[in-house]
């Protein structure tokens, strides 16, 4: 065990210890007399006696490790062990994880300090892991208090777990603690007076991987904003990395990829995330993906056991995995044997062979599965019996064994479970036959050589069914995969696709669902249905089935029903091509459930607006190319070529590039092996064309090579008629490629790349997902900055920093709110500028951090009015362009621009009377007050114009349907918009002018020329009021007007520098009272501008330059703290 480092003055005190191993920094010693023949002589006997007479608390362990530094007589005990194995394990850990690191330190003191810190961290780590198992909350509470004290994050930030580790600052490691919370990765270290504090939000991470190099045997590499961070010396690095990966992917999905996250209620509440919950979720996801079960299934129990394999007459070792509705088994002895037993199919669970702790499970297919060496088998039998009774509800009585007796029995059995109403509706709307059986019925009498081969394939499968079972509970072994690689027979293809994809389970759990969906969806008119109609006749147009209304109608129903079921995906191009092939071999309802399995489980996130899933798998494909085909990557200067050329391979499962008779064999393998089959085939295609690709001079030539290759792929055993086969229509003269048989190509891909493990693919998917989404975000940022930079004078670097602060404020509002409005507003499908928008509360925080006027006493009111001015669409949200433009005016605008902005802030629609409900707060507004005032509508001259713009606003047209024409018109209006003329500005009335004056007073407070500015504003105010009075008298000389005595005396009451601000407010109040007695006064912008231009102090104040860089740096440090205060 590791020991708290204690000083040992004499390394071999009294010759009690014998040195066994040593190096420059550590010594492993054995207690003299221990493990020696004869007891080690007299000295050994003395030591043994000494150890024996001591009480149990004082006994010394027989092995220990000391830490030493060169030229030092001081040693530190850091570990002890009761056995040689235990101490050797500690020694090996030190050699592999610490020894190489120590060479980077310059002084012995630093080395000793680092070792002591590391050992203390390991002790705490072991203590933490033990209390985690015992669920001791005290230790975790102590860690939580340290976390809150060190980082000062909001109370809602939930700490998930923490680890002792080293953070590499340059070439020097710093021992400290890594804290993992729901939104942040945080590290804290305090050694020898040096403090290191690091906070990285998960959404900023673009790369997260385990790495190793000469100095670090194993470390975790985190890349954020182009900066690399390395953490090493974890006690359990794999567990730590898995948890970090889950938290990063969770944050990315929640903040960037709302489409898929909204369908995931498990992680919808950040406050409910726990370490144990994340671990169980990871196991459940792996379980349901491996066995192709519905995503809702959660793994409940895992038992190591043996399964009797009757056709091989032996017990295979593996794991039995149990969820709510399934019992699954996967071998772990290399036999590739797996079984899926739905509880709906179970007829009995019994104890079998108690001596061997056996469990026997019987199914409706008259198959009995015998598991032995099951721990707690009696309890398991009782649990399974209860589960089976619970699932024996009427909806589960339907036998879902696909073609359990014969192909002709299945429709009859299935229809027997449906009501008469369902059957009537089914015959009206839903096709009950696969299109291939309608358009290409097999002639049993006239069998040519290809048909004979097809019959032989069927016979091979029938033999397999007899041996290994038929239907969902069949044994799946290496032989099953071998038959799939050869190509599934036409007659069995639809049935086995349904089986291997897991769609059979979805269909069994939802009887009548598809028919109901068809009735609801037909006749609906959405953007998705418009796109579906446009693509219907582009789907396999050369096939007779889709040249008739039968095939087209079936395709329309399936795609429309799916778009209705899953509006988040709706319809995406490539879905039509895939569904066409599914309809050829599966009945219409089966084709629908196959589409569900592909879109929602087997190819996650492929068919959304940004096709993130496909981009992730392309990144995985590139990674595999680097590993398996390095000569190709050396030749290609740009790896994006592989992404562009392979996108259609992944989206359509090679259907769009291969002849249909060959493509279906690829689909066979995909439904059995998942995305692994597509990746393997892609590698095989590139390797087959390696020589030609290496001679290509550009991408276009390489694309031509691959297209010619795909044209040459044939399926010599395909029984399809020549009129349907696409490959048979090509002449040999058309291509210089020799014919390649698809079966040989698939077999070769399995032989060469079959060692690619499913777990490795999933791990690569996780790591590349972060990279892909951050790349998309970078593209969004570049496009936004390109558009905004044309309208502002900020430097590109400053504008980029402002964008990051704007986006960060958007995210900070999402971190701790389950139903954050900001999160609901984010939509990656919107134009780049509108993807990230902020509300009034978020804008206020940014205003306080960045505005040069943030020192103003009524800064909350200013922020509110500025927000209302920018919110042209009246949806209480503004985008980055609006935000940047108003900041640009404050920093880079001319005197006239800044004054015009202030003028517009004090007239409608921006201006509204603001009074805090809590007078004690002064000018500060609560969040609720701010949101309330931001939503108020103010009547103004421009109201009619606003209402017109609202009517034509694209978001307001229809129920959620975007009006493209309105967007184009709005864009055209913006292009034609002329620069605003100051003469077009409405006049400012007296109450607005009073508030305008107050704002100027507040702005000038604290300025070096404060007294001059106060005097100037007094002069200007008096002058304007006199001008207005004269103007009124000239306009109506006969009307009696009271002399504004109080008004003319106002300048004398202007507060001097050093006087209280309250006197200013009293002055304004008296002025307001005097004016209310008269007719309404108003001022034009030209009058105010002309008056202020005569005051040099005014001009100097507004033309004084402000450095935005200083504000940005300050904001980056204070933004999180500002959010904590709010």
């Amino acid at each position: 065990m590791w020991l708290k480092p204690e000083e040992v003055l004499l390394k071999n005190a009294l010759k009690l210890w014998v040195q066994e191993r040593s190096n420059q920094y550590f010594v492993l010693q054995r207690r003299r007399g221990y493990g020696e023949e004869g007891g080690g002589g007299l000295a050994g006997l003395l030591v043994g006696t000494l150890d024996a007479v001591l009480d149990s608390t004082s006994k010394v362990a027989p092995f220990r490790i000391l830490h030493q530094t060169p030229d030092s007589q001081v040693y530190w005990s850091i570990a002890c062990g009761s056995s040689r194995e235990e101490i050797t394990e500690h020694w090996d850990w030190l050699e592999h994880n610490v020894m190489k690191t120590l060479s980077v330190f310059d002084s012995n003191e630093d080395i000793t300090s680092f070792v002591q810190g590391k050992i203390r961290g390991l002790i705490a780590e072991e203590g933490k892991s033990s209390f985690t198992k015992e669920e001791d909350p005290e230790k975790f509470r102590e860690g939580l208090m340290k976390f809150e004290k060190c980082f000062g994050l909001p109370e809602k930030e939930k700490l998930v777990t923490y680890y002792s580790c080293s953070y590499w600052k340059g070439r020097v490691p710093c021992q400290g603690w890594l804290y993992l919370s729901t939104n942040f990765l945080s590290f804290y270290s305090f050694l020898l007076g040096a403090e290191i504090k690091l906070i990285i939000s998960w959404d900023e991470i673009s790369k997260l991987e385990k790495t190793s190099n000469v100095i670090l045997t194993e470390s975790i590499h985190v890349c954020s904003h182009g900066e690399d961070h390395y953490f090493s010396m974890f006690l359990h690095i794999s567990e730590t990395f898995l948890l970090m990966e889950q938290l990063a992917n969770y944050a990315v999905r929640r903040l960037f990829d709302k489409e898929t996250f909204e369908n995931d209620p498990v992680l919808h509440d950040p406050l409910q995330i726990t370490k144990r919950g994340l671990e169980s979720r990871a196991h459940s996801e792996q379980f349901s993906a491996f066995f192709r079960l519905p995503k809702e299934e959660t793994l409940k129990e895992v038992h190591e056991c043996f399964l009797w394999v009757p056709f091989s007459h032996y017990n295979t070792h593996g794991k039995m995995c149990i969820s709510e509705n399934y019992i699954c088994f996967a071998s772990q002895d290399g036999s590739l044997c797996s079984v899926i037993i739905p509880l709906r199919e179970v007829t009995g669970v019994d104890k079998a062979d108690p001596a061997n702790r056996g469990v026997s499970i019987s199914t409706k297919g008259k198959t009995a599965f015998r598991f032995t060496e099951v721990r707690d088998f009696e309890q398991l039998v009782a649990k399974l019996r209860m589960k089976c009774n619970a699932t024996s509800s009427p909806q589960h009585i339907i036998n879902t064994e696909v073609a359990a007796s014969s192909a002709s029995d299945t429709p009859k059995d299935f229809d027997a479970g449906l009501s008469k109403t369902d059957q009537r509706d089914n015959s009206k709307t839903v096709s009950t036959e696969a299109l291939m059986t309608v358009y290409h019925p097999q002639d049993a009498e006239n069998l040519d050589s290809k048909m004979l081969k097809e019959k032989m394939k069927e016979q091979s499968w029938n033999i397999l069914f007899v041996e290994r079972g038929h239907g969902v509970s069949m044994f799946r072994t290496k032989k099953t995969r071998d038959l799939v690689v050869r190509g599934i027979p036409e007659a069995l293809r639809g049935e086995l696709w349904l089986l291997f994809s897991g769609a059979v389970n979805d269909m069994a759990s939802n009887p009548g669902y598809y028919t109901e969906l068809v009735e609801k969806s037909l006749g609906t008119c959405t953007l998705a249905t418009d796109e579906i109609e446009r693509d219907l006749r582009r789907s396999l147009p050369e096939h007779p089935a889709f040249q008739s209304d039968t095939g087209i109608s079936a395709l329309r129903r399936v795609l429309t029903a799916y778009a209705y079921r899953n509006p988040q995906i709706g319809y995406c191009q490539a879905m039509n091509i895939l569904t066409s092939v599914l309809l050829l071999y599966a009945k219409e309802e089966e084709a629908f459930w196959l589409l569900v399995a592909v879109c929602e489980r087997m190819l996650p996130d492929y068919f959304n607006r940004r096709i993130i899933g496909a981009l992730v798998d392309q990144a995985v494909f590139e990674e595999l190319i680097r590993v398996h085909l390095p000569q190709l990557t050396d030749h290609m200067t740009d790896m994006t070529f592989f992404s562009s050329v392979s996108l259609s391979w992944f989206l359509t499962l090679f259907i769009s590039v291969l002849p249909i008779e060959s493509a279906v064999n690829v689909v066979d393998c995909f439904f059995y092996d998942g995305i692994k089959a597509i990746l393997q085939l892609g590698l095989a295609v590139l390797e087959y064309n390696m020589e030609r690709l290496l001679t290509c001079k550009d991408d276009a030539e390489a694309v031509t090579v691959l297209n010619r290759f795909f044209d040459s792929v044939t399926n010599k055993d395909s029984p399809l008629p020549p009129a349907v086969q696409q490959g048979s229509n090509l002449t040999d003269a058309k291509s210089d490629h020799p014919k390649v048989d698809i079966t040989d190509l698939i077999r070769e891909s399995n032989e060469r790349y079959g060692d690619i493990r499913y777990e490795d693919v999933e791990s690569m998917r996780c790591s590349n997902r972060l990279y892909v989404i951050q790349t998309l975000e970078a593209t969004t940022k570049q496009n936004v900055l390109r558009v905004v930079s044309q309208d502002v004078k900020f430097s590109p670097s400053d504008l980029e920093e402002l964008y990051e602060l704007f986006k960060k404020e958007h995210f900070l509002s999402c971190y701790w709110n389950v139903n954050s409005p900001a999160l609901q507003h984010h939509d990656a499908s919107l134009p780049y500028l509108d993807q990230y928008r902020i509300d009034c509360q978020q804008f206020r925080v940014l205003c306080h951090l960045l505005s040069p006027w943030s020192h103003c006493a009524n800064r909350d009111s200013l922020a509110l009015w500025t927000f209302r001015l920018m919110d042209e669409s009246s949806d209480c949200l503004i985008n980055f362009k609006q935000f940047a433009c108003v900041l640009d005016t404050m920093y880079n605008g001319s005197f006239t621009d800044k004054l015009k902005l202030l003028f517009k802030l004090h007239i409608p629609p921006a201006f509204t009377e603001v009074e805090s409900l809590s007078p004690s707060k002064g000018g500060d507004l609560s969040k609720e007050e701010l949101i309330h005032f931001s939503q108020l509508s103010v009547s103004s001259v421009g109201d009619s114009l606003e209402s017109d713009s609202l009517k034509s606003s694209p978001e307001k047209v229809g129920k959620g349907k975007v009006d493209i024409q309105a967007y184009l018109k709005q864009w055209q209006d913006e292009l034609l918009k002329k620069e605003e003329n100051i003469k077009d500005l409405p006049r400012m009335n007296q109450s607005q002018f009073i508030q305008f004056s107050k704002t100027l007073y507040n702005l000038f407070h604290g300025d070096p020329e404060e007294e001059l500015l106060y005097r100037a504003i007094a002069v200007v105010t008096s002058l304007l009021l006199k001008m207005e009075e004269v103007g009124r008298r000239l306009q109506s000389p006969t009307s009696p007007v009271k002399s504004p005595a109080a008004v003319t005396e106002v300048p004398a009451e202007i507060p001097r520098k050093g006087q209280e601000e309250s006197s200013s407010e009293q002055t304004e109040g008296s002025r307001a009272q005097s004016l209310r007695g008269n007719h309404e006064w108003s001022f034009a912008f030209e009058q105010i501008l002309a008056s202020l231009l005569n005051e040099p102090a005014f001009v100097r104040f507004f033309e004084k330059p402000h450095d935005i860089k200083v504000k940005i740096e300050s904001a980056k440090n204070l933004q999180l703290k500002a959010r904590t205060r709010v």
Side-chain angles (χ1 to χ4, degrees), residues 266-291:
V266 181
L267 290 178
H268 200 64
D269 185 357
L271 301 179
Q272 302 304 316
I273 295 176
T274 61
K275 179 185 174 186
R276 182 174 296 177
L278 287 170
E279 288 172 348
S280 63
R281 177 183 172 82
H283 293 145
S284 292
E285 285 178 347
Q286 189 177 2
F287 160 73
S288 57
F290 182 83
F291 291 107

Side-chain angles (χ1 to χ4, degrees), residues 26-27 184 219 271 279 322 347 488 555 639 683 800 898 1083:
F26 301 100
V27 178
F184 298 96
S219 64
L271 301 179
E279 288 172 348
I322 301 171
T347 55
I488 297 175
L555 183 60
M639 287 294 286
L683 290 172
E800 186 175 350
K898 292 175 183 177
F1083 302 99

